[in-house]
Amino acid sequence: MEVKHCKPNHKALENQGKMAVDMHFHTNCSDSFTDVDKLMKLAQARRTGVAITDHNLIKSLQKIQGKEYTVPVIPGMEVSTSDGPHILVYFYDFKDLESFWTRNIRPQLNYCPWLALKHCTTENLLDLLEKENCVVSGAHPMGYLMSNKGVEVCINKKYLEPEMATRLDAYEVICSGMTRRSNQYAYEAAMKYGIGFTGGTDGHLMTEVGNVVTISSAKDIDGFLDSIKEHKVDICGLEKSVPRKVQMGSASMVRFIQHAPSATAVQTIQTAKSFRRAFRRRSHICPEKNHDIFVANFWNIPRDAYFSWEYSVQ
């Protein structure tokens, strides 16, 4: 497995008989404005495969079922777990993904469906996926902007046990939305745990497709996904520039504004849970009641008001 921080040369990779796939891309099914048909037209022009990984949703994949493309399309999903981490799941067959989604994800969708699920922790999700024929990778392991949206950052905060990472097939070691330092940390963590690599843009703008790819000598999608599990892939790509990150963030923000009431409700609940978990860690030697008193005193909140607020967001 080799990780190269450079722009992928898709024509050269194709001439070498390599399969190159951007393993992390969003459409207007979730928090992007990108139409899946236009995305696939550009992906074909750029000679890059793509994994459609919308948050908790599969509508765009359903839309393109039955259509044939000159580049591979991997059926996937980025699951936003209820305890923070985002988990990329890739299925060998779309029907298996659709069945898994219908049984396990759809019932847990929140007010804003692409944000954190209601009751599906990272551990719960991995338990469910053990029964499925799929590949599982930790998206942007160090999280975004001090968030808990990565497995490794939650391990570092002691919210998750290190063993949780070993249950994954891979970590996303180049995510173009992350900093070089965060990606390097993800790479080192993957090496430490002995798991594989994936790479993708976490693209929300159509023009991003193929800027980070996972590369394999496989000849079909089944072989490609197998090669991730077998640690026989290379990763190539670059992090986005600051202006590009701002552009992408602005586009996503507009989508969130369109769903402001529901998105705000889910984010508020998640923030409250994060505060509660952080304080529990800080006061782990205290019984539950003493912990609550500690939090109230820490913020100088009247205890009755704190207890009323804290238990209303569980």
Side-chain angles (χ1 to χ4, degrees), residues 19 72-75 91-93 218-226:
M19 185 182 292
V73 182
I74 295 179
F91 279 76
Y92 289 76
D93 183 83
K219 303 304 179 184
D220 56 28
I221 290 176
D222 285 8
F224 182 90
L225 291 176
D226 285 344

Side-chain angles (χ1 to χ4, degrees), residues 200-211:
T201 56
D202 195 359
H204 290 69
L205 302 175
M206 188 169 67
T207 53
E208 298 177 77
V209 67
N211 289 344

Side-chain angles (χ1 to χ4, degrees), residues 278-308:
F279 285 123
R280 274 188 173 168
R281 176 193 168 198
R282 186 167 177 173
S283 56
H284 66 279
I285 61 172
C286 302
E288 178 69 18
K289 185 65 177 178
N290 288 343
H291 158 72
D292 287 333
I293 295 171
F294 165 79
V295 175
N297 289 340
F298 183 90
W299 287 106
N300 195 26
I301 301 172
R303 292 180 187 178
D304 290 344
Y306 169 74
F307 294 143
S308 173

Side-chain angles (χ1 to χ4, degrees), residues 50 60 66 73 77 86 117 136 138 141 169 172 174 236 260 280 294:
V50 61
S60 285
V73 182
M77 175 172 52
H86 288 187
L117 297 175
V136 186
D169 294 304
E172 187 176 49
I174 299 185
C236 180
R280 274 188 173 168
F294 165 79

